[in-house]
Amino acid sequence: MIKPVAPDSEFTIRELAQEFDVTPRTLRFYEQKGMISPARRGAARIYSAADRARVDLILRGKRVGFALDEIKEILDLEAIDRGGRERLEPAIERFVARIQVLQQQREDVERAIAELQAGLDWMRERLENRTPPDDVRRRARAFEALAQARLDPWSGASAG
Amino acid sequence: MIKPVAPDSEFTIRELAQEFDVTPRTLRFYEQKGMISPARRGAARIYSAADRARVDLILRGKRVGFALDEIKEILDLEAIDRGGRERLEPAIERFVARIQVLQQQREDVERAIAELQAGLDWMRERLENRTPPDDVRRRARAFEALAQARLDPWSGASAG
DNA sequence: TCACACACTTACGCGAACGTCAACGTCAAA
DNA sequence: TTTGACGTTGACGTTCGCGTAAGTGTGTGA
């Protein structure tokens, strides 16, 4: 995930945009928000390996649901450090909260994968119109119930 | 996660909103989008256990990054089923794509948790101002580099 | 010198997912 | 019967994360 490059590498906006599958506009937008500060050659932006690493972190942050401002905050930790202990404490609290959200999210992702997988089996089954193996049937019925929101709350949503 | 309730339970909009920590407006919004269809007593909405299950699924879907329209699509699988094979095939493709995205996301979440956890150790260390144990120091430095996006791409982002 | 790709800034626009009034109905307790 | 909590339906406002022109350089090859 993300290829290593030489520390002294340089990239144009388009190169970086292509690599990360975003538009140049997106990178300019991040810059405008103060999340990256590429060097300039004249007016043109030149991205270093460090800039590239930041972009990678930004996009990974996005994928797990961080807002851009939150990601910026993480990227700005250096400033928090210099700011001393008063700034550190609330930052810690937000970090803890964030980690908890992520742990919840991990659980959600696991369930979603399992459920969609079951749904997939179910759909493929319909397509081939064969008699399904027993375990697939069980999962499929579970999904069916879930998809139509008819799951019996006593059996389905149990286990706290 | 999500308490089981009797199948014949009924809820007001406020009860459900409170339980799921959303506003009544949000539930009406989902209804307006055709994602739930609570019964009415007069003009007032009455939510069944099934409605509640759907709300749960909607919110879980949201947390893993599904758009509301996508969630609706999942909830509408019944219709897809009735629609026959032509509608089923593209749905399968979208499902497969979605599962792949989720697998990527699972990876991202794992990394994010690990990195934030390291960042947390690092911050707590600064707070207590003690000499950290070696393993914490290593992780902390990794985070520091990451947070400031100065990680050496040759060592840090390797292993493709 | 011309064309063309690619870059830049400025600025308005947009869809998603609600928030926030406004104006009104309803029902139970005081 | 008035108060107050709760409900309803519009309809407009807001934030986020960019998209999309519009107009203007800049550099490179034919």
Side-chain angles (χ1 to χ4, degrees):
Chain A
M1 69 217 39
I2 187 181
K3 287 182 187 172
V5 296
D8 59 347
S9 301
E10 292 185 350
F11 310 89
T12 72
I13 195 170
R14 189 154 297 271
E15 286 168 353
L16 223 57
Q18 284 188 358
E19 174 175 359
F20 288 110
D21 197 30
V22 298
T23 66
R25 164 67 178 145
T26 299
L27 296 180
R28 293 191 197 106
F29 181 71
Y30 294 159
E31 179 177 352
Q32 182 183 313
K33 294 212 80 175
M35 306 176 77
I36 38 180
S37 306
R40 299 287 181 133
R41 181 134 55 218
R45 292 163 173 84
I46 305 171
Y47 294 84
S48 68
D51 293 325
R52 178 171 172 274
R54 289 177 82 97
V55 171
D56 177 48
L57 197 140
I58 293 170
L59 296 179
R60 272 178 22 231
K62 277 197 53 183
R63 275 178 302 201
V64 302
F66 283 93
L68 294 187
D69 286 352
E70 296 174 311
I71 297 172
K72 178 173 158 60
E73 205 179 340
I74 295 175
L75 288 169
D76 287 348
L77 260 187
E78 186 185 16
I80 291 178
D81 179 34
R82 292 206 211 290
R85 279 72 196 132
E86 304 81 40
R87 285 168 168 274
L88 211 49
E89 297 250 32
I92 284 186
E93 286 179 36
R94 281 198 295 277
F95 262 58
V96 170
R98 261 302 162 188
I99 289 178
Q100 283 170 356
V101 170
L102 282 173
Q103 283 167 346
Q104 162 75 18
Q105 196 172 338
R106 176 170 54 186
E107 206 181 291
D108 287 335
V109 169
E110 298 291 352
R111 284 185 68 175
I113 289 178
E115 286 168 3
L116 286 184
Q117 188 60 56
L120 207 52
D121 295 344
W122 172 78
M123 292 162 97
R124 291 205 164 117
E125 182 44 46
R126 304 251 159 180
L127 257 189
E128 300 184 0
N129 225 14
R130 287 207 212 105
T131 312
D134 261 23
D135 60 330
V136 170
R137 292 206 61 164
R138 261 203 316 262
R139 287 190 298 160
R141 287 183 44 173
F143 178 80
E144 212 160 339
L146 183 151
Q148 302 174 208
R150 303 239 173 79
L151 56 129
D152 176 0
W154 291 103
S155 66
S158 67
Chain B
M1 71 228 24
I2 187 181
K3 287 181 187 170
V5 296
D8 58 347
S9 303
E10 293 185 350
F11 311 89
T12 73
I13 195 169
R14 188 156 298 272
E15 287 168 351
L16 223 56
Q18 284 188 357
E19 174 175 359
F20 289 110
D21 196 30
V22 298
T23 65
R25 165 68 179 143
T26 299
L27 296 180
R28 293 191 197 105
F29 180 71
Y30 293 159
E31 180 178 351
Q32 182 181 314
K33 294 212 80 175
M35 305 176 77
I36 37 180
S37 306
R40 299 288 181 131
R41 181 135 53 220
R45 293 165 175 80
I46 305 170
Y47 294 84
S48 68
D51 293 325
R52 178 173 172 273
R54 288 178 81 99
V55 171
D56 176 48
L57 197 141
I58 291 170
L59 297 179
R60 273 180 21 233
K62 278 197 54 183
R63 274 176 290 181
V64 301
F66 283 93
L68 294 188
D69 285 352
E70 295 174 312
I71 297 173
K72 179 173 157 59
E73 204 178 342
I74 295 175
L75 289 169
D76 286 349
L77 262 187
E78 186 186 16
I80 291 179
D81 178 33
R82 292 208 210 290
R85 280 71 197 133
E86 303 81 40
R87 282 167 171 275
L88 211 49
E89 296 251 31
I92 286 186
E93 285 179 35
R94 282 197 294 277
F95 263 58
V96 170
R98 261 302 163 188
I99 290 179
Q100 284 170 358
V101 170
L102 282 173
Q103 283 167 347
Q104 163 74 22
Q105 197 174 336
R106 175 169 55 185
E107 205 181 293
D108 289 334
V109 169
E110 297 293 351
R111 285 185 67 176
I113 289 178
E115 286 167 4
L116 286 183
Q117 187 60 54
L120 207 53
D121 295 345
W122 171 79
M123 291 162 97
R124 290 202 164 119
E125 181 45 45
R126 305 250 158 178
L127 257 189
E128 300 183 1
N129 225 15
R130 288 208 212 102
T131 311
D134 261 23
D135 61 329
V136 172
R137 290 206 63 166
R138 260 205 315 261
R139 286 190 299 159
R141 286 182 47 172
F143 178 79
E144 213 160 339
L146 183 150
Q148 302 173 208
R150 302 235 176 81
L151 55 127
D152 177 358
W154 291 102
S155 66
S158 67

